[in-house]
Amino acid sequence: MPDATTPILAVEDLAVHFPMGGGLFGGARRTLKAVDGVDLVLEPGECLGLVGESGCGKSTLALSILGLQAPTRGRILLDGQDVAASHDRRARARIVQMVFQDPYSSLNPRQTVRRTLEEPLRLHGTTDKAEIESRVAAILARVGLRPDQAERYPHEFSGGQRQRIGIARALVLEPRVVVLDEPVSALDVSIRAQIINLLLDLKDQLGLAYVMISHDLGVVEHMSDRVAVMYLGRIVETGTWRDIFAAPGHPYTKALIAAIPDPFRDGVHARITGEVPNPLDPPTGCAFHPRCPDALPLCREPPAIAFEPLGTGHAARCRRVHELAA
């Protein structure tokens, strides 16, 4: 049994590589390293923000945590147990669930809300009709919907209400970890704050831990306890949200923060330019060096950059991090 100090989720040296063929006319086979040596820890009750540009590997990492993408190497521990080794997907689903980005496409249009919420309970062995009805009514109330709305279909709800249904579906099995994949990016601006506040309330009320995937650092700053910044399949900086936003160490993190549309933020950092390199042919040394305004020739040199500590729980993969901080 895990003790009180065991993280609810631990990702150890996780890699997800996809071999790519040479195409119709042959050619050399190459490997796309979508995730390449990621280490993460999630404590009970905390929210870890996972940020980075599109294509950096965030969603692939999330699918691996959920058991929907087999890792090439590494381990994923839930409550101290190696879930990949156990091959028990139902046991994993009782611990970790997901709220998807798009509330319009993530719900089955042919199923009522009741059936959407009852189905996971039945699949996981709950057969008592009264218990199922009670749990469905309770989770709808938790997310701000009425029990009588369970008889409706998804098209009868607004976007914000559909996302509440998606949250209810994720929570009906009473998981301890919820992966939030851009949970408000598809919603109207007027609705986003409501859903963010709902997620924060549920985290406190139910003792949930969140892995929140986002490219919107404004949302991450508001919700997260700690932040991990991802670039080209690797974590390049990690720390508390105060560390990351007050004293970012990696030039990529600085550029992401500078891009936040906030007239009151001190925009002293250079904004990010250029395109993400081809993951089939990543740069040597620091993968960010082709786009980095502070890069020197040494940044191009192998091996890959190791983490440099910046304080308790705060570290960045940058050879010049202390020099730039000074």
Side-chain angles (χ1 to χ4, degrees):
M1 291 290 292
D3 58 36
T5 63
T6 302
I8 183 62
L9 169 67
V11 177
E12 300 178 352
D13 191 31
L14 190 76
V16 181
H17 296 173
F18 299 102
M20 308 296 288
L24 181 63
F25 300 102
R29 292 178 63 84
R30 296 188 291 177
T31 300
L32 191 156
K33 298 179 179 180
V35 177
D36 193 29
V38 165
D39 295 288
L40 287 176
V41 171
L42 180 68
E43 301 294 343
E46 82 168 342
C47 178
L48 174 67
L50 185 62
V51 304
E53 295 169 287
S54 297
C56 71
K58 304 186 302 295
S59 295
T60 302
L61 175 58
L63 292 175
S64 295
I65 292 171
L66 290 159
L68 302 177
Q69 174 61 58
T72 304
R73 71 165 190 271
R75 299 199 305 166
I76 300 171
L77 307 177
L78 288 169
D79 259 352
Q81 302 297 312
D82 188 343
V83 290
S86 71
H87 301 292
D88 189 344
R89 292 186 62 180
R90 289 195 180 186
R92 183 187 299 209
R94 287 191 290 270
I95 299 176
V96 59
Q97 283 287 321
M98 186 169 189
V99 174
F100 294 91
Q101 175 180 1
D102 187 353
Y104 297 93
S105 63
S106 62
L107 299 174
N108 188 334
R110 294 183 176 87
Q111 287 187 349
T112 63
V113 171
R114 178 177 302 284
R115 185 175 175 188
T116 295
L117 299 180
E118 287 181 349
E119 198 169 69
L121 294 171
R122 297 186 191 280
L123 286 173
H124 286 264
T126 303
T127 57
D128 183 79
K129 184 177 180 180
E131 181 183 355
I132 290 174
E133 290 183 354
S134 174
R135 289 178 67 173
V136 168
I139 199 60
L140 285 173
R142 280 278 190 191
V143 300
L145 295 173
R146 302 188 312 273
D148 64 280
Q149 291 177 298
E151 309 308 326
R152 299 183 184 178
Y153 289 86
H155 73 269
E156 299 179 73
F157 295 91
S158 67
Q161 289 175 318
R162 292 189 203 190
Q163 194 63 301
R164 290 174 187 267
I165 296 167
I167 293 168
R169 178 179 58 187
L171 297 183
V172 73
L173 290 176
E174 301 178 350
R176 296 178 61 196
V177 177
V178 179
V179 177
L180 306 173
D181 184 9
E182 303 276 8
V184 298
S185 65
L187 303 177
D188 291 340
V189 174
S190 60
I191 304 298
R192 291 182 184 183
Q194 297 177 22
I195 299 301
I196 289 171
N197 290 332
L198 172 64
L199 290 168
L200 290 173
D201 289 343
L202 290 169
K203 182 171 83 74
D204 293 339
Q205 294 166 9
L206 303 177
L208 299 170
Y210 290 153
V211 177
M212 190 180 67
I213 299 168
S214 182
H215 66 273
D216 186 337
L217 267 72
V219 174
V220 170
E221 183 179 13
H222 187 70
M223 288 191 64
S224 298
D225 301 298
R226 290 188 302 113
V227 178
V229 182
M230 197 167 185
Y231 185 77
L232 213 64
R234 309 195 81 185
I235 303 298
V236 297
E237 185 164 1
T238 183
T240 67
W241 72 266
R242 291 183 185 275
D243 291 335
I244 297 297
F245 286 90
H250 198 283
Y252 178 61
T253 309
K254 296 175 184 179
L256 288 177
I257 292 173
I260 299 175
D262 185 348
F264 302 104
R265 189 181 302 278
D266 180 15
V268 297
H269 306 302
R271 295 182 181 272
I272 195 166
T273 60
E275 300 294 331
V276 178
N278 183 353
L280 286 170
D281 187 22
T284 59
C286 174
F288 186 60
H289 82 254
R291 309 171 71 192
C292 180
D294 300 310
L296 294 177
L298 65 88
C299 301
R300 304 181 178 92
E301 298 173 1
I305 313 301
F307 273 112
E308 291 287 341
L310 292 167
T312 304
H314 185 197
R317 292 184 189 270
C318 177
R319 287 195 175 109
R320 301 190 66 202
V321 65
H322 297 294
E323 175 190 351
L324 295 174

